[in-house]
């Protein structure tokens, strides 16, 4: 079996030094083009603005840490509830997915109106950015408990609670740590998006100032600091997991096979819609929120269907939405294809991995908030810039997930191919790619909300087109009917796309890797 071992420290150090020298050389070649600031300029800006950066970083880290805490507590609570009441899993998972698909760039302005000044929106968006990934990985871990262990507990007459805290929690710990590793950079991203909505301090505020002032060294410095923080959090959690004796887990797994219980799909869909509408309406009434900005389901229906200008409202919303989709879909598939393709190349030619993998992991952690302005500066405000931003957002998680999937190829299978003197291509096509499919599709599912976030962020911050720009404009003009309608449309679309990817995943795995379908 081909192992993708981590490069030695000396090789890693030489690789980093070569990357810095190449970066500086490219910056010198492009000097005057306003595209790239070299490491010398970035270091100079950070030195000159060390106090400002430290204060902004402290504020953002505080919001991200609190959101990380609350989001993961919510994920743990949901997972435990589902484990104790299995019949509630479909409903809880569907609601969790729908909330996760809420567009952060539109939710932020509403939270700002709701909370007012302070860190409330940043903390809430950070929590929303992390809870679903932790919930998914935790559910995978809780189900990974060996059946013999559970049988032993039951043979002593113990119940579900004993199973939970004596067996399942320990078995799920590696998966939980892996989920926290994914969640840490996402919490930082959520906090920065929250700062875009009118915060007075923080990294997000500095990003806006740098972008509006075309301050290239500041933009690159913020991107570097954000990436360093995300990588450090990812590495620290991994180190804590290893110190605690929890080996790395396969964090991306196939969906649970659906049984026939629970009624027809239409009945379940109707139940879900009813619960969502009841929670939406009930939540507004419970907290007595001002209907001027806190629109109810009936307000959105009136805005899009029965109000005098409903036809115009629908046309405006759909035109912007289609414009966004036309750029999101190509970027989504390009990112998936490049990630899976490079992962396969790294396995076929392991020397590629030693150089590209550390860089990929570092770039994976850069928040899209900081990379979007840089990509738009380089490629312009047209379709190429937005498609590239979406592809970049999808590419790195897909690459890492597919590499992880390729590593899952059973050694006995590879030995069998070797015994027949099969070529590397034959082994890749017939053994390693089928083993990679669960990780690839899991990445494709999680990439759906990420792709929409990337596209709307690019439109919101830089291009001035599509539904991202429409949401920014309606938020600034207090046109909350359009803003809530956009949130509903994006959330439902993202949730449906996620479910479609899951259905395609089951269909493909049933044919090519049925043993990976969890039951």
């Amino acid at each position: 079996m081909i192992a993708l071992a981590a490069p030695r420290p000396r090789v890693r150090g030489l690789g980093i030094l070569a990357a810095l020298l190449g970066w500086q050389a490219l910056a010198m070649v492009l000097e005057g083009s306003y595209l790239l600031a070299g490491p010398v300029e970035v270091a100079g800006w950070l030195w000159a603005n060390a106090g400002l950066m430290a204060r902004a970083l402290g504020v953002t880290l505080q919001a991200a840490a609190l959101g990380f805490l609350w989001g993961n507590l919510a994920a743990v609570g949901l997972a435990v509830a589902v484990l104790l009441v299995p019949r509630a899993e479909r409903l809880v998972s569907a609601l969790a997915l729908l909330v996760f698909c809420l567009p952060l760039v539109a939710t932020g302005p509403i939270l700002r109106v709701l909370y007012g000044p302070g860190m409330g929106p940043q903390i809430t968006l950070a929590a929303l950015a992390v809870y679903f990934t932790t919930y998914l990985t935790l559910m995978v871990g809780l189900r990974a408990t060996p059946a013999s262990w559970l049988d032993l507990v039951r043979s002593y007459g113990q119940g579900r609670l004993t199973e939970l805290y004596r067996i399942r929690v320990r078995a799920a710990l590696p998966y939980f740590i892996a989920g926290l590793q994914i969640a840490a950079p996402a919490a930082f991203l959520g906090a920065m998006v929250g700062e875009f909505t009118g915060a007075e301090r923080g990294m997000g505020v500095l990003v806006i100032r740098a972008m509006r002032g075309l301050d290239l060294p500041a933009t690159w410095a913020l991107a570097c600091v954000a990436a360093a923080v995300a990588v450090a959090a990812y590495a620290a959690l991994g180190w804590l997991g290893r110190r605690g004796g929890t080996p790395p887990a396969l964090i991306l797994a196939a969906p649970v096979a659906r049984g026939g219980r629970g009624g027809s799909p239409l009945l379940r869909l109707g139940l879900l819609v009813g619960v969502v509408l009841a929670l939406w309406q009930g939540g507004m009434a419970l907290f007595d929120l001002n209907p001027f900005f806190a629109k109810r389901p009936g307000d959105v229906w009136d805005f899009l269907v029965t109000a005098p200008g409903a036809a115009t409202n629908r046309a405006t919303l759909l035109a912007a939405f289609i414009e966004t989709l036309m750029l999101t879909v190509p970027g989504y598939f390009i990112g998936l294809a490049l990630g899976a393709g490079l992962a396969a190349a790294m396995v076929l030619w392991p020397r590629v991995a030693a150089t590209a993998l550390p860089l990929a992991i570092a770039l994976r952690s850069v928040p899209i908030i900081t990379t979007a302005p840089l990509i738009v500066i380089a490629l312009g405000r047209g379709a190429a810039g937005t498609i590239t931003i979406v592809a970049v957002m999808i590419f790195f998680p897909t690459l890492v997930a597919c590499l992880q999937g390729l590593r899952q190829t059973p050694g006995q299978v590879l030995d069998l191919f070797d015994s027949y003197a099969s070529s590397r291509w034959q082994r890749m096509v017939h053994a390693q790619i089928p083993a990679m499919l669960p990780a690839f599709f899991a990445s494709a599912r999680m990439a759906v909300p990420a792709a929409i976030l990337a596209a709307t962020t690019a439109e919101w911050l830089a291009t001035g087109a599509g539904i991202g720009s429409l949401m920014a404009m309606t938020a600034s003009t207090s046109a909350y009917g359009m803003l809530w309608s956009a949130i509903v449309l994006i959330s439902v679309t993202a949730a449906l796309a996620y479910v479609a990817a899951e259905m395609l995943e089951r269909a493909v795995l049933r044919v090519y890797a049925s043993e990976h379908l969890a039951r």
Side-chain angles (χ1 to χ4, degrees):
M1 178 178 177
I2 294 176
L4 292 174
R8 296 175 181 176
R10 184 178 178 184
V11 175
R12 187 186 302 134
L14 290 175
I16 293 173
L17 179 60
L20 288 175
L21 291 175
W23 177 9
Q24 183 62 40
L26 186 61
M28 294 173 68
V29 171
L30 297 175
E31 187 176 5
S33 64
Y34 298 100
L35 293 179
L36 183 64
V40 174
E41 284 183 279
V42 169
W45 190 92
L46 288 174
W47 179 261
N49 299 275
L52 175 66
M53 178 60 77
R55 290 191 295 273
L57 182 59
V59 170
T60 305
L61 280 177
Q62 184 182 359
L66 290 173
F68 181 79
L69 173 65
W70 287 112
N72 286 306
L73 285 177
V76 171
L78 289 175
V80 171
V82 165
L83 200 66
L84 295 178
V85 188
R87 282 183 174 275
E89 180 179 355
R90 289 179 187 276
L91 182 60
V92 171
S93 297
L95 289 174
L97 170 62
L98 194 60
V99 173
F100 180 66
C101 290
L102 291 174
L104 297 184
V105 296
T107 312
I110 293 176
L111 291 175
R112 178 60 63 189
V113 176
L114 185 63
Y115 283 105
M119 298 177 65
Q122 296 93 301
I123 296 171
T124 304
L125 289 182
L128 289 175
V130 307
Y131 84 98
F132 189 67
T133 50
T134 302
Y135 168 71
L136 284 184
T137 54
L138 194 52
M139 289 303 298
V140 172
L142 290 171
R143 290 197 187 98
T145 308
S148 57
W149 297 6
L150 299 178
D151 292 339
L152 181 62
V153 173
R154 289 165 190 159
S155 68
Y156 282 92
Q158 302 299 318
R160 286 183 177 275
L161 280 176
T162 305
E163 283 182 15
L164 178 62
Y165 73 83
R166 289 203 179 275
I167 302 295
R168 290 188 186 273
V169 167
R170 296 180 183 181
L173 196 54
Y175 297 84
F176 182 57
I177 295 294
L180 294 182
Q181 282 187 282
I182 300 175
F188 198 71
L189 170 63
M192 289 184 68
V193 172
E195 290 168 350
F196 279 12
T197 61
E200 297 178 351
R201 297 178 297 169
M203 294 277 290
V205 176
L206 292 186
V207 169
I208 292 178
R209 290 178 184 172
M211 187 175 56
R212 290 176 177 170
L214 295 177
D215 190 341
L216 202 60
T219 304
W220 277 91
L222 289 164
C224 292
V225 171
V229 169
V231 170
Y234 185 91
L237 286 167
W239 179 81
L240 283 176
R242 289 190 296 274
R243 291 282 295 177
T246 56
L250 178 61
I251 54 177
L252 297 173
V256 177
R258 304 298 187 191
R261 295 183 299 176
S264 68
L266 284 179
L267 181 61
R268 293 198 299 269
L269 178 61
L271 175 63
L272 174 62
V273 172
V275 170
V276 169
L277 293 178
L279 289 176
W280 182 358
Q281 183 74 32
M284 298 290 183
L286 179 64
F287 294 101
D288 193 24
L289 299 179
N290 189 333
F292 174 71
F293 68 88
K295 298 299 182 185
R296 276 67 171 172
D299 297 327
V300 174
W301 176 265
D302 292 339
F303 182 80
L304 293 176
V305 180
T306 60
T312 304
N313 296 335
R314 288 197 305 272
T316 302
L317 181 63
L318 289 177
F321 182 62
I322 291 172
E323 187 177 8
T324 299
L325 278 188
M326 294 292 288
L327 304 179
T328 304
V329 173
Y332 173 79
F333 285 109
I334 290 172
L336 287 180
L338 289 178
L342 184 57
M346 286 180 172
V347 172
L348 289 172
W349 299 285
R351 289 181 181 277
V352 176
T355 326
L357 189 56
L359 180 62
I361 292 175
L363 292 176
R364 173 197 181 192
S365 303
V366 181
I368 191 66
I369 293 295
T370 54
T371 52
L374 296 173
I375 294 173
V376 170
I377 289 173
L379 299 178
R381 298 175 182 271
T386 303
I387 291 175
T388 303
I389 289 170
V390 176
V392 167
M393 185 79 170
I394 305 305
F395 167 71
F396 296 109
T398 304
L399 168 64
V400 175
C402 289
L403 275 175
Q404 194 178 31
L406 288 167
R407 289 171 175 163
Q408 304 306 312
T409 309
Q412 300 90 333
V413 175
L414 296 178
D415 292 341
L416 179 63
F417 275 80
D418 290 340
S419 67
Y420 283 95
S422 302
S423 67
R424 288 185 295 181
W425 284 103
Q426 290 172 320
R427 188 167 55 183
M428 171 61 69
V429 171
H430 298 292
Q432 291 171 310
I433 288 181
M436 182 193 76
L437 286 177
F440 172 78
F441 278 108
S443 178
R445 279 188 281 125
M446 297 303 298
V448 170
I452 293 177
L453 171 64
T456 53
T457 300
E459 293 168 346
W460 185 31
L461 290 177
T463 67
I467 201 166
S469 175
L470 179 66
M471 290 189 293
M473 184 177 63
T474 53
S476 63
T477 57
S478 301
Y480 292 108
M482 181 63 80
L483 187 59
W484 278 87
S485 301
I487 291 174
V488 172
L489 180 60
I490 291 177
S491 303
V492 171
T493 303
L496 291 176
Y498 184 100
V499 173
E502 187 176 290
M503 294 172 65
L504 178 62
E505 176 181 11
R506 284 201 204 95
V508 172
L509 294 186
R510 196 171 293 121
V511 175
Y512 293 100
S514 59
E515 71 278 8
H516 289 285
L517 281 174
R519 295 184 183 279

